[in-house]
Amino acid sequence: MSKQLLLETGVALSFLFNPIGSIVAEDPTFGERKQVHNVAHRGATGYAPENTIAAFDLAVDMKADYIEIDVQRSEDGELVVIHDTTVDRTTDGTGQVGDLSFEELRGLDAGSWFGEQFAGESLPTFEEVLDRYYGKIGIFVELKAPELYPGIEKQVAEALRERNLDKPQNEKIIIQSFNFESMKKMDALLPRVPVGVLTSNTADTTPEALQEFSMYAEWFSPSYGIVTEELVENVHSLGMQIGSWTVRSQDTADFLFDMGVDAIITDFPDYVEPRKMKY
Ligand code: G3P
Ligand code: CA
């Protein structure tokens, strides 16, 4: 029996045996409620330095559903979590992530730039994040500029396989990127782990483009500026979910609730909390 049929059968039985349920059923909004996943962008970035344990721990404390992390690779092959392809903005060092050894990267201060109380925060590794957070909170894993790190898809797949996270796990691990070829590779390597494509380009929202994405992606994740109700419907009609970014105001969060997206990726998890419903 399909999920839809199961749901319809359950609702019909509740009408027969539960008069209160019948009253609720008369509410024209019943059945249209939608829960939106609260995704802490690079952690709770509004309150703690992005892509650090401090920001991820805070996202857990704030009861976000997911953290979003950016994965790159050190010169000597360690998968590290940092957004920019240089360390200049978010650490006390300089240089390209891929030109620095893991020891050099790990020695950087990734917290002081945000606030002295975060001094000494270091760049987390991908494996450290998996081990510390899997089971506590979902993880949106972004492969950042994977074209700079040949073979990174295999490495990410291996780290997940070693932990038995290559199976469907209530979709608590999702891998996404702006690099669509990389996501095709990821889908081939880990067919049971959902992948997503990120874009801020309206050329990627045409029916043809969406159809192509739906061949390998389970998520379509546009910047909020290009989200419309029609886009949400088109994405859903192809069986994909839609997550949108980056929310830094309550108005933007409310706009995305109204559009009916499935996930809101936000620097401020409290804008998506308490769980708000679309009616
Ligand atoms: O998850 C979406 C978002 O992270 C994409 O943009 O630049 O913050 O990685 P960016
Ligand atoms: Ca990201």
Side-chain angles (χ1 to χ4, degrees), residues 41-42 68-70 83 142 144 176 178 198:
H41 179 238
R42 313 179 198 166
E68 188 263 354
I69 67 173
D70 299 288
H83 178 271
E142 180 182 345
K144 181 59 80 186
Q176 53 180 6
F178 288 95
L198 292 161

Side-chain angles (χ1 to χ4, degrees), residues 17-269:
F17 298 117
N18 178 4
I20 295 173
S22 301
I23 293 164
V24 172
E26 283 165 14
D27 177 348
T29 64
F30 182 75
E32 293 175 27
R33 291 178 180 180
K34 177 184 176 73
Q35 186 167 332
V36 177
H37 297 304
N38 184 345
V39 183
H41 179 238
R42 313 179 198 166
T45 295
Y47 305 103
E50 64 183 59
N51 282 320
T52 63
I53 296 298
F56 301 144
D57 279 356
L58 188 55
V60 173
D61 291 348
M62 294 178 84
K63 304 204 183 319
D65 300 305
Y66 290 83
I67 50 174
E68 188 263 354
I69 67 173
D70 299 288
V71 176
Q72 300 187 60
R73 190 168 67 198
S74 69
E75 187 268 334
D76 49 351
E78 188 78 33
L79 297 177
V80 289
V81 175
I82 182 168
H83 178 271
D84 297 1
T85 54
T86 72
V87 298
D88 302 24
R89 181 178 61 88
T90 57
T91 77
D92 57 350
T94 56
Q96 295 283 329
V97 174
D99 289 343
L100 296 166
S101 69
F102 177 60
E103 198 181 340
E104 287 170 320
L105 289 169
R106 194 65 153 181
L108 298 175
D109 178 347
S112 291
W113 70 276
F114 191 87
E116 274 316 305
Q117 68 274 36
F118 298 107
E121 283 291 329
S122 54
L123 264 68
T125 68
F126 176 51
E127 302 203 25
E128 183 180 3
V129 170
L130 290 178
D131 292 337
R132 186 177 176 103
Y133 297 105
Y134 188 78
K136 279 191 192 159
I137 191 166
I139 309 174
F140 270 84
V141 178
E142 180 182 345
L143 302 197
K144 181 59 80 186
E147 60 280 5
L148 297 179
Y149 310 106
I152 193 170
E153 296 84 4
K154 272 191 187 160
Q155 243 182 303
V156 166
E158 199 44 46
L160 292 173
R161 259 193 225 107
E162 277 168 13
R163 290 163 178 79
N164 209 24
L165 299 179
D166 55 325
K167 318 275 186 314
Q169 307 274 343
N170 299 321
E171 304 205 338
K172 284 301 186 185
I173 301 266
I174 295 152
I175 304 176
Q176 53 180 6
S177 185
F178 288 95
N179 183 320
F180 307 149
E181 290 307 312
S182 173
M183 290 303 93
K184 280 188 204 167
K185 280 184 205 161
M186 213 63 247
D187 180 56
L189 285 162
L190 297 179
R192 295 196 283 174
V193 173
V195 305
V197 291
L198 292 161
T199 186
S200 51
N201 188 346
T202 49
D204 295 325
T205 64
T206 62
E208 298 72 30
L210 294 176
Q211 176 71 42
E212 160 71 13
F213 295 139
S214 73
M215 304 303 287
Y216 58 90
E218 286 78 13
W219 282 81
F220 179 74
S221 299
S223 51
Y224 69 82
I226 62 171
V227 172
T228 61
E229 271 178 313
E230 187 189 1
L231 176 63
V232 173
E233 272 168 31
N234 289 345
V235 170
H236 285 162
S237 72
L238 287 163
M240 293 187 287
Q241 297 194 72
I242 179 165
S244 187
W245 46 276
T246 298
V247 164
R248 298 188 172 102
S249 75
Q250 189 63 60
D251 282 352
T252 310
D254 292 344
F255 165 74
L256 290 174
F257 281 119
D258 287 347
M259 291 295 106
V261 301
D262 303 292
I264 295 181
I265 301 158
T266 176
D267 286 0
F268 298 87

